Amino acid sequence: MQNQKIILSEKAMARTLERLVSEVMERRGDNENLAIIGIQRRGADLAQRLKDLLDDRLGRKIPLGKLDINLYRDDWTNLSRQPSINCTEIPFDIESSSIILVDDVLFSGRTVRAALEAVLDFGRPRRVELLVLVDRGHRELPIRADYIGKEVRTGGDQHVNVLVKERDGEDKVVLTLPETK
């Protein structure tokens, strides 16, 4: 049995998303070209929530996209392992947009690198900023988030799981610790 520690409860997660929206509004709220793109899967779910909160606070509709980065990943070298392909939907013009790229957990930075590559295949945005719910450290690439919900320093043998109601039936963030013997 693995040991788990709750990092964010449902209420804490909701408060964190509210704070992140406030930070985005403070920096970019007056930008008419603001758009949000969520990295599939849970990043896309969080992006939808952030969009809804921003729409309500700003009194206008913020464009929303979903991005599948699986074909851009650099770790699909083993033929026995096939990527699970999700959809990419970017129903707005990326050119000149100020994009908030949303993911659930920032770890090595490889997912974000793949996402940036994928976004650039759609055009050249004016700016791309990264928003993550959890930053757990251990970067392998020089990537940092502009908006961070919670920083959690983890060991290499630990794992951070973000659960969202849309997929998991509940909202919380859990740190899975290695089994003790």
Side-chain angles (χ1 to χ4, degrees):
M1 175 94 178
Q2 294 182 329
N3 297 320
Q4 294 187 333
K5 176 183 175 188
I6 295 176
I7 296 171
L8 290 173
S9 66
E10 180 177 1
K11 286 182 181 179
M13 193 167 154
R15 281 193 310 271
T16 300
L17 291 173
E18 289 281 349
R19 179 179 50 78
L20 288 168
V21 165
S22 294
E23 289 179 27
V24 169
M25 286 182 56
E26 186 176 309
R27 290 189 212 171
R28 304 285 170 231
D30 60 349
N31 186 330
E32 292 296 322
N33 294 323
L34 182 65
I36 299 173
I37 297 177
I39 300 173
Q40 289 279 24
R41 298 178 328 171
R42 286 170 180 79
D45 297 330
L46 295 171
Q48 178 67 58
R49 291 188 198 183
L50 293 165
K51 178 224 183 322
D52 292 344
L53 291 167
L54 279 167
D55 286 355
D56 188 51
R57 287 200 193 171
L58 294 172
R60 61 184 163 100
K61 299 288 184 193
I62 303 297
L64 174 68
K66 297 176 183 180
L67 187 66
D68 177 41
I69 55 94
N70 279 304
L71 297 178
Y72 293 86
R73 294 178 61 123
D74 62 4
D75 60 352
W76 295 120
T77 57
N78 183 344
L79 292 178
S80 66
R81 195 172 156 205
Q82 295 182 358
S84 172
I85 305 299
N86 296 291
C87 68
T88 291
E89 296 173 14
I90 301 180
F92 58 89
D93 184 15
I94 279 189
E95 297 289 327
S96 303
S97 292
S98 290
I99 294 172
I100 305 292
L101 186 63
V102 180
D103 203 7
D104 57 348
V105 178
L106 177 57
F107 181 40
S108 68
R110 293 189 179 279
T111 295
V112 174
R113 182 215 48 88
L116 290 169
E117 236 181 273
V119 165
L120 291 174
D121 276 353
F122 284 88
R124 184 170 187 233
R126 183 168 189 279
R127 161 187 295 113
V128 177
E129 293 180 307
L130 178 61
L131 182 150
V132 297
L133 184 61
V134 178
D135 181 347
R136 63 170 288 198
H138 301 281
R139 226 63 88 236
E140 295 173 7
L141 299 171
I143 290 176
R144 66 168 179 79
D146 300 284
Y147 308 93
I148 300 169
K150 183 154 181 87
E151 288 187 63
V152 179
R153 295 296 156 219
T154 62
D157 57 350
Q158 297 174 330
H159 190 73
V160 174
N161 291 312
V162 173
L163 304 176
V164 293
K165 285 183 182 175
E166 296 86 342
R167 293 185 189 280
D168 310 300
E170 63 180 325
D171 283 341
K172 68 180 174 181
V173 179
V174 178
L175 175 66
T176 302
L177 307 168
E179 291 183 33
T180 54
K181 296 181 181 188

